[in-house]
Amino acid sequence: MKILSKLLVLFTLLVSISFAAEGVTVDSVTKDSATTPKVTEATQISTPKKQAVWIKLEGDVDPAMYEFCARAIGEALDKKPDYIVFEINTFGGRLDAAFDLVDTIMAVKGPETIALVKKKAISAGSLIALACKKLYMLEATTIGDCAPIVQGGDGTPQIVGEKIQSPLRAKFRNLAQRNGYPELLASSFVTPELEVLELTAKLDKGTATERDTTLIIEGKKFAVLDSTEKKFWGSPKILVKEGELLTMTDKEAEELGFSKGTFKNREDFETKLAIERKSEVETNTGEKIASAIAAISGILLILGFGALYIEFKTPGFGMFGIIGIILIGIVFFGQFAPQLDGYFPVILLIAGVILFLVEIFVMPGTFLFGIGGIACMIIALIMSVDTTNIPEYVPEAVETTFDATPWLFGLFFVLGSAAIALIIPIAASKYLIPLLPEGWTPMLKTDMETAVAPTENVQVVSIGDTGIAKTFLRPVGQASFTMPDGSTKLFDVQTHGEIIEAGQRIKVEAVQEGHIWVTRA
């Protein structure tokens, strides 16, 4: 009995030691598991944040947008970011500019290109969006409908034929294959004849490996399936009806495999992609001017050619010809404006001088070109102001409340330059121009006290009298009339906007308040 009791005590002791050891083990595991989240959190904090460069593509897709995008991508690559984000908001535009823009985006190596639809990516905008490796959308946005259209003979928009649709459809397929978008649905952006169906069925039905499978198929291909296959797939879901183009909301784009996610705002998007460092490429002055000219280029061309037509219908060369050339020149200038950024003050200054010379020597008295010249010079002066290079000198009291340095010295610089610009012409007209030889100065050298009017009293001229224009009438000039006694006298005359060359015969229409109104005889 003593032996049995000793064995029982020994067994009890061993069991208690075992439980104690097991308790220590459990506590140790619990402690380790409790510290695991701390290690994970530390790992997450040490994860490097991403850098992104934002490029906004808004407005019409045109050569100006392509020029901006090409320059912006070059600047973005210099910063070596993780992402280049294209913020898209456009109804589309020119197909050639869209193709150039897409090829430029596809050629980007290194950073991941991401499209974020801000409001809409319609027509060429959808093509640009699919050129990026990933697509995201903000809430309540749309993407799709890229059928190329032209204006028909009756003025209504019409979808172009297969010759244009075929390469555009191939471009969408290429982008879908390259970036992993649904290929058939991408083609339905372009082709209204394409019907797209979604088929859903269960594989290994009734077994442990039962699963759903989905197939996106063209409507024409589903129609030729046999009855067994149609029974297996069941009733199809129509994704795109025949005669329609695919246009998706943000939720539909995510469900159909185009969008990788939908966000409320830009901040949520940046948080999701762990973007901490970011910058944005801004449009420069040349690109803004090019975009503004492109928006009204049609109107400028119509007005320009209309002015030239009027000029061809009138003798000589006058105001309408100059206006027509200027308007058409502005349209062509818009094509090169992005490359001329930084030279606009000089260009405007030269344009202002040219307009002044036109006012003085070609179209005196119209004031139109003179006002235009002054406007060009003022704008050139404002654009040339660089407040960063102006020395700072402003009271401390002002500095502590509001940094007025750029405004004060910018205003001082402009006013000082304007004063100098006025003093120099006045001094030149008073002391330098009178020294020029006869025929080389536009100013009169005759003293006003001894000046004699070169024309006679208009009362001796009557309605119906004929004469000869001695100078160009634009519309003001001088003409000579033969008096009843056979003498010839010179008079100031003017037309009702008609331009008459020197040497042409004229006829008096009216004599009113000291003015002689004439027309071509």
mmCIF file of all heavy atoms in Angstrom, residues 30 59 124 145 159 196 202 224 301 357 373 386 402 419 435 459 467 474 481:
data_model
loop_
_atom_site.group_PDB
_atom_site.id
_atom_site.type_symbol
_atom_site.label_atom_id
_atom_site.label_comp_id
_atom_site.label_asym_id
_atom_site.label_seq_id
_atom_site.Cartn_x
_atom_site.Cartn_y
_atom_site.Cartn_z
ATOM 1 N N THR A 30 0.632 33.162 -26.354
ATOM 2 C CA THR A 30 -0.294 34.299 -26.297
ATOM 3 C C THR A 30 0.466 35.614 -26.322
ATOM 4 O O THR A 30 0.089 36.556 -27.008
ATOM 5 C CB THR A 30 -1.160 34.219 -25.020
ATOM 6 O OG1 THR A 30 -1.811 32.965 -24.998
ATOM 7 C CG2 THR A 30 -2.174 35.351 -24.976
ATOM 8 N N GLY A 59 -10.714 69.637 -71.652
ATOM 9 C CA GLY A 59 -11.093 70.369 -72.857
ATOM 10 C C GLY A 59 -11.023 69.491 -74.088
ATOM 11 O O GLY A 59 -11.027 68.261 -74.016
ATOM 12 N N ALA A 124 -12.639 60.412 -77.915
ATOM 13 C CA ALA A 124 -11.178 60.281 -77.852
ATOM 14 C C ALA A 124 -10.676 60.212 -76.415
ATOM 15 O O ALA A 124 -9.600 59.663 -76.163
ATOM 16 C CB ALA A 124 -10.525 61.453 -78.578
ATOM 17 N N ASP A 145 -18.195 55.539 -75.752
ATOM 18 C CA ASP A 145 -18.716 56.166 -76.968
ATOM 19 C C ASP A 145 -17.621 56.860 -77.765
ATOM 20 O O ASP A 145 -17.441 58.074 -77.682
ATOM 21 C CB ASP A 145 -19.825 57.156 -76.630
ATOM 22 C CG ASP A 145 -20.454 57.759 -77.885
ATOM 23 O OD1 ASP A 145 -20.044 57.382 -78.987
ATOM 24 O OD2 ASP A 145 -21.352 58.604 -77.747
ATOM 25 N N ILE A 159 -21.939 59.025 -88.270
ATOM 26 C CA ILE A 159 -20.807 58.141 -87.998
ATOM 27 C C ILE A 159 -20.115 57.815 -89.312
ATOM 28 O O ILE A 159 -20.757 57.484 -90.308
ATOM 29 C CB ILE A 159 -21.276 56.847 -87.297
ATOM 30 C CG1 ILE A 159 -21.917 57.199 -85.949
ATOM 31 C CG2 ILE A 159 -20.114 55.898 -87.096
ATOM 32 C CD1 ILE A 159 -22.460 56.006 -85.197
ATOM 33 N N VAL A 196 -23.131 42.775 -77.694
ATOM 34 C CA VAL A 196 -22.292 42.032 -76.751
ATOM 35 C C VAL A 196 -23.184 41.444 -75.666
ATOM 36 O O VAL A 196 -23.999 42.151 -75.060
ATOM 37 C CB VAL A 196 -21.214 42.933 -76.125
ATOM 38 C CG1 VAL A 196 -20.327 42.127 -75.190
ATOM 39 C CG2 VAL A 196 -20.369 43.591 -77.210
ATOM 40 N N LYS A 202 -22.921 27.362 -64.287
ATOM 41 C CA LYS A 202 -22.226 26.707 -63.184
ATOM 42 C C LYS A 202 -21.480 25.487 -63.719
ATOM 43 O O LYS A 202 -22.035 24.694 -64.483
ATOM 44 C CB LYS A 202 -23.208 26.298 -62.090
ATOM 45 C CG LYS A 202 -23.789 27.473 -61.307
ATOM 46 C CD LYS A 202 -24.638 26.993 -60.150
ATOM 47 C CE LYS A 202 -25.197 28.175 -59.365
ATOM 48 N NZ LYS A 202 -24.134 28.941 -58.690
ATOM 49 N N VAL A 224 -25.651 31.339 -83.281
ATOM 50 C CA VAL A 224 -25.352 30.115 -84.043
ATOM 51 C C VAL A 224 -25.053 28.918 -83.140
ATOM 52 O O VAL A 224 -24.735 27.831 -83.634
ATOM 53 C CB VAL A 224 -24.168 30.352 -84.998
ATOM 54 C CG1 VAL A 224 -24.508 31.444 -85.997
ATOM 55 C CG2 VAL A 224 -22.899 30.714 -84.236
ATOM 56 N N LEU A 301 -11.152 81.941 -89.284
ATOM 57 C CA LEU A 301 -10.984 81.660 -90.716
ATOM 58 C C LEU A 301 -12.136 82.230 -91.536
ATOM 59 O O LEU A 301 -11.929 82.790 -92.619
ATOM 60 C CB LEU A 301 -10.860 80.153 -90.935
ATOM 61 C CG LEU A 301 -9.529 79.520 -90.522
ATOM 62 C CD1 LEU A 301 -9.602 78.008 -90.664
ATOM 63 C CD2 LEU A 301 -8.382 80.078 -91.353
ATOM 64 N N LEU A 357 3.021 101.386 -87.440
ATOM 65 C CA LEU A 357 3.472 101.815 -88.763
ATOM 66 C C LEU A 357 2.330 101.758 -89.775
ATOM 67 O O LEU A 357 2.222 102.618 -90.651
ATOM 68 C CB LEU A 357 4.631 100.920 -89.223
ATOM 69 C CG LEU A 357 5.927 101.039 -88.400
ATOM 70 C CD1 LEU A 357 6.965 100.057 -88.904
ATOM 71 C CD2 LEU A 357 6.460 102.467 -88.453
ATOM 72 N N GLY A 373 -1.974 98.520 -81.699
ATOM 73 C CA GLY A 373 -0.544 98.593 -81.393
ATOM 74 C C GLY A 373 -0.287 98.936 -79.942
ATOM 75 O O GLY A 373 0.587 98.345 -79.296
ATOM 76 N N ASP A 386 8.948 90.551 -64.175
ATOM 77 C CA ASP A 386 9.330 89.396 -63.361
ATOM 78 C C ASP A 386 9.647 89.905 -61.957
ATOM 79 O O ASP A 386 10.727 90.426 -61.696
ATOM 80 C CB ASP A 386 10.536 88.684 -63.965
ATOM 81 C CG ASP A 386 10.888 87.414 -63.203
ATOM 82 O OD1 ASP A 386 10.117 87.048 -62.291
ATOM 83 O OD2 ASP A 386 11.931 86.803 -63.512
ATOM 84 N N PHE A 402 1.089 91.612 -44.630
ATOM 85 C CA PHE A 402 0.785 91.156 -45.988
ATOM 86 C C PHE A 402 2.011 91.352 -46.869
ATOM 87 O O PHE A 402 2.636 92.417 -46.843
ATOM 88 C CB PHE A 402 -0.412 91.937 -46.554
ATOM 89 C CG PHE A 402 -0.696 91.623 -47.995
ATOM 90 C CD1 PHE A 402 -1.213 90.386 -48.361
ATOM 91 C CD2 PHE A 402 -0.437 92.561 -48.995
ATOM 92 C CE1 PHE A 402 -1.470 90.098 -49.685
ATOM 93 C CE2 PHE A 402 -0.695 92.272 -50.315
ATOM 94 C CZ PHE A 402 -1.222 91.034 -50.654
ATOM 95 N N ALA A 419 5.823 105.491 -68.192
ATOM 96 C CA ALA A 419 6.231 106.896 -68.245
ATOM 97 C C ALA A 419 7.383 107.086 -69.226
ATOM 98 O O ALA A 419 7.398 108.021 -70.035
ATOM 99 C CB ALA A 419 6.626 107.366 -66.847
ATOM 100 N N LEU A 435 14.381 116.958 -87.481
ATOM 101 C CA LEU A 435 15.691 117.045 -88.105
ATOM 102 C C LEU A 435 15.804 116.184 -89.363
ATOM 103 O O LEU A 435 16.773 116.325 -90.120
ATOM 104 C CB LEU A 435 16.792 116.635 -87.107
ATOM 105 C CG LEU A 435 16.898 117.489 -85.827
ATOM 106 C CD1 LEU A 435 17.981 116.938 -84.919
ATOM 107 C CD2 LEU A 435 17.172 118.950 -86.173
ATOM 108 N N GLN A 459 -18.172 125.517 -100.200
ATOM 109 C CA GLN A 459 -19.441 126.033 -100.693
ATOM 110 C C GLN A 459 -19.456 126.195 -102.207
ATOM 111 O O GLN A 459 -20.531 126.304 -102.817
ATOM 112 C CB GLN A 459 -19.732 127.390 -100.033
ATOM 113 C CG GLN A 459 -19.827 127.313 -98.510
ATOM 114 C CD GLN A 459 -20.933 126.367 -98.058
ATOM 115 O OE1 GLN A 459 -21.965 126.239 -98.729
ATOM 116 N NE2 GLN A 459 -20.715 125.693 -96.942
ATOM 117 N N GLY A 467 -14.958 115.203 -110.324
ATOM 118 C CA GLY A 467 -13.568 115.587 -110.167
ATOM 119 C C GLY A 467 -12.675 114.360 -110.227
ATOM 120 O O GLY A 467 -13.100 113.271 -110.615
ATOM 121 N N ARG A 474 -9.287 106.760 -98.279
ATOM 122 C CA ARG A 474 -9.386 105.581 -97.401
ATOM 123 C C ARG A 474 -10.039 105.922 -96.059
ATOM 124 O O ARG A 474 -9.394 105.730 -95.003
ATOM 125 C CB ARG A 474 -7.988 105.029 -97.116
ATOM 126 C CG ARG A 474 -7.149 104.634 -98.283
ATOM 127 C CD ARG A 474 -5.959 103.839 -97.732
ATOM 128 N NE ARG A 474 -5.016 103.473 -98.729
ATOM 129 C CZ ARG A 474 -3.853 104.075 -98.940
ATOM 130 N NH1 ARG A 474 -3.512 105.116 -98.199
ATOM 131 N NH2 ARG A 474 -3.025 103.650 -99.849
ATOM 132 N N PHE A 481 -11.329 119.622 -108.402
ATOM 133 C CA PHE A 481 -12.535 119.878 -109.187
ATOM 134 C C PHE A 481 -12.264 121.071 -110.112
ATOM 135 O O PHE A 481 -11.555 122.022 -109.734
ATOM 136 C CB PHE A 481 -13.728 120.187 -108.281
ATOM 137 C CG PHE A 481 -14.185 119.019 -107.476
ATOM 138 C CD1 PHE A 481 -13.615 118.753 -106.237
ATOM 139 C CD2 PHE A 481 -15.183 118.184 -107.954
ATOM 140 C CE1 PHE A 481 -14.041 117.681 -105.487
ATOM 141 C CE2 PHE A 481 -15.604 117.103 -107.202
ATOM 142 C CZ PHE A 481 -15.032 116.846 -105.961
#
